[in-house]
Amino acid sequence: MNGAEALVKALKLEGVDVIFGISGGAALPIYHALGDPENGITHMLVRHEQAAAHMAEGFAKATGRVGVCLATSGPGATNLVTGIADAILDSVPMVAITGQVPTTAIGSDAFQESDIVGVTMPIVKHSFQARNANDIPRLVREAFYIASTGRPGPVLIDVPRDVAQAPVDKFVSPKEVKIRGYNPNTKPDLSELEQAVELIRHAEKPVLYVGGGVVSTEAHKELLALAEKTDIPVTTTLMGRGAIDDGHPLSMNMPGMHGTAYANWAIRDADLLIAVGVRFDDRVTGNLKKFARNAKVIHVEIDPAEVHKNRVAEVSIIADAKDALRELAELCPEKKHDGWRRQIAQWREEQPLFYDKNGELKPQQVIEELSELTDGQALMATDVGQHQMWAAQFYHFRRPRQLLTSGGLGTMGFGLPAALGAKVAFPQQEVWLITGDGSFQMNLQELATSRVYNLPIKIALMNNHSLGMVRQWQTLFYDQRYSGIELPDVPDYVKLADAYGCLGLRVTKPEDVRPALEQARATNDRTVLIEFIHDADEHVYPMIPSGQSVEDMRLQPRKRA
Amino acid sequence: MSLPNQHTISVMVENRPGVLARVSGLFARRGFNINSLAVSATEDPEISRMTVVTTGDTRELEQIIKQLNKLIDVITIYDHTDENLIEREIALIKVHATVENRSEIMQLTTVFRAEIVNITPSDETMIIEITGDQNRVDAFLETLAKFDVLELVRTGKIALVRGARAT
Ligand SMILES: Cc1cc2nc3c(=O)[nH]c(=O)nc-3n(C[C@H](O)[C@H](O)[C@H](O)COP(=O)(O)OP(=O)(O)OC[C@H]3O[C@@H](n4cnc5c(N)ncnc54)[C@H](O)[C@@H]3O)c2cc1C
Ligand SMILES: Cc1ncc(C[n+]2csc(CCOP(=O)(O)OP(=O)(O)O)c2C)c(N)n1
């Protein structure tokens, strides 16, 4: 057995059955080992390493398991960088494996040498460079442990070619991982819990502000138990969408820049903010000084560094959200907040999410109809931009891990590979990608991957012939000087779909939306791409301009009577 | 003793390649200051000790410590704020010592309990070593400033807390 074979065996021991990647010189020994049909790991060849990383992310976000991507040294490795950066900001469990030039050549500017450990140091949870083939099983074990525990994140394993080829004397994989500098298991502290219960007991206008941490630990049941018992309305960040069923009367949809008016007003007036698995991101808080200025804060977080980072919390519970919510649901007495609930319902009536149904095709309509047709059950991947916000606002999410989106880094091009990664994990489920013409063109080559590996997904491409989100900012804040945002009418997406063996449809009228969606749903032998052509002047509302506060929220203009 | 908002912390790390880059990179990336840094071996060959002097208010210091703790190779961190420390820095100062001022320099050296470690008469230079806490080294350097200081090198601070407790 050599290092590469030990690597593959160790991956198998971690339960890995699929890897996304592209090979090359320094990765050849690893590919040789992977190529052995005995090992039971499927390798999916993508068309760009960035997509390999996003596929691993999509797989991980949809399943909660560690996603694995693989690339060769130099350009292969650097192509992974965007995906790794994406994974650290959204706390996605991922192991990225890179080939490296032989140890004897490291530091010599050898062919396809890049110091990927150095390049990625600021964007990984941890990284390893294998220096001895005998260490590989342990490194793999530690990498998976680190990637998947505590606050999840990406871990890099760099494998020099000579190490991959060196003989392994004995395959030893530790049963238990012990890393003295890493202790991710913290249990909720009883006195903090008691203080939290006191605050909850006395709160009159409490709000649960929940996010990615609740999704990643699948604490939706515990959340619901607490919310229902204490009658506290819930707002879910972009990363937390699906933590509560949007049909639940306590759900207030999303907070923040493009959140609902009623969620933002509720936060404004709240006297207690129970923040669970959230990091007070500036897209949510805007101006921190004015965010929830009347509220005390209980912060439930697994990463101590997030507590008091952006907002000082009166009570902090450093624990897994699932444990903390379970305990809180148990300890908190039942309560009713009729007046507060009525107030929120009234705001919601006054200012629901809506759009101007003016007889033209609207992207929001597409999402709304899709939500109805799929009964809110589909896996939804998005790219980044206006379409992403409309998907977050208008799709009726029901469960965690349903929305696969790039929140922290906001990576255009994330969507298609992420959708494919989710389809790999759940071949029987309906997987949709909501994308824009800008984002889609950043990784559209992966249509080939969908074809070759028979991963039929459904793509709703919102074509506004522009980088819509940027255009919106230029309209609102930069004198309508449209600079560098036009995407003229190339390619022909129907032909493009056809060229990749997918079904392409084009829709321009509102009445054709539903039939096209239905046709896509009924087509399961290949990927369907529907191009929805809509006007570039459509804006995402509500909008709290960057760095401002709820007082500055701009609302969807009412239709002129 | 030290400047307001100045903190000394000891970061105990795995003695592995790349650890220094991880720690110093974190300071740079998150906009934390490093006033001085000393990396050294410890009583345990697997552990290195980084003594870092940094500036920031309490909340910044809290972030620095928490973010450092997230590095897998960081084992423990000791925050020495308000602790009863023994702290030392060393400076070597090369001065141009003429016949006229040589005795004054030597006198000052004695007063500060510094030491002349080299004299090169041919080109009228001497190298003085001072070891002490930051204030003492600062004061000595200030005193020498009126002479012709040719070169100066100073280590980062190292520190231990008095008593049996591990720090
Ligand atoms: C164009 C665009 C617009 C956006 N607009 C909005 C917007 O209007 N509203 C909005 O909400 N977002 C918006 N976002 C997303 C935003 O940038 C952030 O990604 C998002 O708000 C962060 O979500 P979060 O606070 O839930 O934290 P995440 O990034 O999901 O982080 C999860 C937090 O939970 C913690 N955690 C992890 N696991 C656990 C566990 N087991 N137990 C407890 N804690 C845990 C982590 O340590 C971390 O602090 C937008 C993004 C883009 C690209
Ligand atoms: C890789 C990358 N480059 C640039 C940006 C900045 N950016 C944010 S949204 C956006 C426009 C997205 O356009 P499109 O995908 O067509 O979506 P739309 O907003 O039109 O729905 C751009 C350029 C980004 N988020 N990611």
Side-chain angles (χ1 to χ4, degrees), chain A residues 66-78:
Chain A
V66 178
V68 185
C69 55
L70 169 60
T72 190
S73 67
T78 54

Side-chain angles (χ1 to χ4, degrees), chain A residues 121-122 125-127 146 151 179-182 303-305 307-312, chain B residues 14 18 21-22 29 44 46-47 59 62-63 66-67 69-75:
Chain A
M121 206 169 263
K125 186 167 174 188
H126 195 52
S127 49
I146 292 167
R151 178 180 187 166
I179 305 169
R180 55 182 159 182
Y182 180 65
D303 176 1
V307 174
H308 311 318
K309 185 179 89 177
N310 294 332
R311 170 73 181 240
V312 175
Chain B
E14 298 288 352
R22 285 184 210 273
R29 166 160 53 97
D44 180 342
E46 287 182 1
I47 297 178
R59 225 171 126 187
E62 180 187 329
Q63 262 298 304
K66 284 174 165 181
Q67 293 294 348
N69 258 320
K70 282 172 71 168
L71 296 177
I72 309 290
D73 285 341
V74 169
I75 303 163

Side-chain angles (χ1 to χ4, degrees), chain A residues 425-436:
Chain A
F426 296 109
Q428 302 310 321
Q429 284 196 36
E430 184 172 337
V431 178
W432 277 87
L433 164 65
I434 310 298
T435 184

